[in-house]
Amino acid sequence: MRHFLDLSDAGPDGVAAMLADAIDRKAARAGWPKGKPDSDAPLAGRVLAMVFEKNSTRTRVSFDMAIRQLGGTSIVMDASSMQLGRGEPIADTARVLSGYCDAIMIRTDDHQKVIDMAQYASVPVINGLTDASHPCQIMADLLTIIESDRALPGLKVAWLGDGNNVLASIMEAAGLMHFDVVAACPQGFQPSEADVARGKGRAHVVASAREAAEGADVIVTDTWISMGQAHAETKLAAMMPYQVDEALMALAKPGAAFLHCLPAHRGEEVVDAVIDGPQSLIWQEAENRLHAQKSVLRWCFGQIG
Ligand code: CP
Ligand code: NVA
């Protein structure tokens, strides 16, 4: 049974195999209507259950399209309209959904919930974001970086802003795929030591935005207020020196890529000129959620890696 709760579940070989598969499959169906299944329909007859305890646009639609393109179908549920929302345990939900469906994707708050879902499910479970990590997003980010003709080993990736779930998965990816992450975060909003340790010596935290951005191949940021967090003016003020603007991009290598998982808050973590500028790869990055997750699904079913 393969669960994809974090990138380390797949390990470096699994991640590399998924990225290679995503590149091949994306090329093989270039220009096709989005709803047309891939010619080999490798997950024909499979049903993906999706449970959302938090809002989503990209994760929801890209997983739905991913399973369709692989020949399967999906059932999408908001937890608030399930018995889960009235207190039915995750463990019971896991066992019930396993009787109807072939895989479960869940987006939730407490990471322990995805661990519990995996423990009690008898089908693969995929983490569609928790407060602790967002591995599916980073699969798409790695795919986007590779497509930009950058090899992962030895890259310098700069993270600016909040020490959040997305950063935790980037740091884990750095340790697995041998690139460096320098995260510039204000005091009080830095990643935990445990998250930094996931980078296996490749993840570093600094206070200076300039130090992170200098010589970077890729600049990444995310919202300053994640889902479930209170909107705090004090946090926004602490984050302002970490805003990604043109001056910060100018410190990076010429032509450095800009990534953002979206949704973005223009004028907060990034200015319009950067996110809508020539170095921004955000639309490709968003589309790549679809292509990367098709390979995550195939990995979960033991078809690759
Ligand atoms: N990036 C991302 O996970 O987007 P959604 O919240 O829209 O799914
Ligand atoms: N850090 C953000 C990512 C959203 C895709 C959040 O958790 O809300």
Side-chain angles (χ1 to χ4, degrees):
M1 179 67 58
R2 284 180 168 180
H3 302 296
F4 189 73
L5 307 189
D6 275 307
L7 296 166
S8 55
D9 292 332
D13 293 346
V15 170
M18 285 189 270
L19 292 171
D21 182 65
I23 289 166
D24 289 348
R25 298 191 80 84
K26 181 177 177 180
R29 62 167 299 122
W32 289 20
K34 305 288 193 298
K36 182 175 170 178
D38 292 352
S39 43
D40 55 347
L43 295 185
R46 303 287 193 169
V47 179
L48 172 67
M50 286 191 266
V51 178
F52 286 93
E53 287 205 283
K54 287 178 170 177
N55 291 41
S56 171
T57 297
R58 279 144 289 268
T59 305
R60 181 179 183 128
V61 179
S62 60
F63 262 112
D64 200 341
M65 291 308 298
I67 190 73
R68 289 188 207 199
Q69 290 188 0
L70 293 170
T73 54
S74 70
I75 298 173
V76 187
M77 293 159 281
D78 286 325
S80 58
S81 60
M82 299 170 69
Q83 298 294 4
L84 190 60
R86 293 181 57 242
E88 185 170 19
I90 283 276
D92 292 2
T93 305
R95 285 179 281 219
V96 170
L97 292 180
S98 297
Y100 305 137
C101 302
D102 299 295
I104 302 167
M105 191 237 62
I106 177 167
R107 166 170 285 197
T108 187
D109 41 25
D110 184 356
H111 193 78
Q112 186 60 42
K113 292 186 188 175
V114 296
I115 294 172
D116 291 347
M117 185 72 95
Q119 181 179 344
Y120 292 100
S122 54
V123 299
V125 172
I126 298 170
N127 172 7
L129 178 146
T130 67
D131 290 347
S133 61
H134 196 3
C136 291
Q137 179 65 53
I138 302 315
M139 288 301 299
D141 290 8
L142 298 181
L143 177 57
T144 308
I145 291 169
I146 292 170
E147 285 181 339
S148 72
D149 279 336
R150 292 172 171 91
L152 295 177
L155 279 189
K156 179 182 179 183
V157 175
W159 173 272
L160 280 299
D162 195 21
N164 67 12
N165 46 1
V166 176
L167 173 60
S169 289
I170 293 182
M171 292 194 297
E172 183 165 62
L176 295 173
M177 308 310 283
H178 307 294
F179 59 90
D180 294 297
V181 182
V182 181
C185 312
Q187 279 295 335
F189 302 102
Q190 296 180 336
S192 69
E193 284 182 19
D195 281 341
V196 175
R198 293 159 102 174
K200 298 182 183 139
R202 292 287 194 161
H204 309 277
V205 180
V206 297
S208 156
R210 181 182 186 94
E211 187 179 342
E214 268 174 354
D217 299 277
V218 183
I219 301 258
V220 194
T221 191
D222 185 15
T223 180
W224 290 339
I225 311 287
S226 283
M227 290 182 279
Q229 294 179 346
H231 189 90
E233 292 301 328
T234 48
K235 184 174 184 183
L236 296 183
M239 291 290 165
M240 258 335 272
Y242 300 85
Q243 182 185 64
V244 180
D245 59 14
E246 289 162 295
L248 197 90
M249 288 298 293
L251 296 172
K253 281 196 185 144
F258 173 78
L259 297 180
H260 189 311
C261 65
L262 305 177
H265 302 75
R266 289 171 169 80
E268 292 188 8
E269 71 271 11
V270 61
V271 302
D272 294 18
V274 172
I275 194 167
D276 299 320
Q279 289 164 257
S280 175
L281 302 181
I282 58 165
W283 307 126
Q284 185 183 338
E285 179 186 11
E287 182 188 327
N288 278 339
R289 293 293 303 277
L290 164 64
H291 303 293
Q293 285 156 197
K294 287 168 71 176
S295 301
V296 169
L297 285 163
R298 271 169 43 78
W299 179 84
C300 285
F301 283 102
Q303 295 185 345
I304 51 173

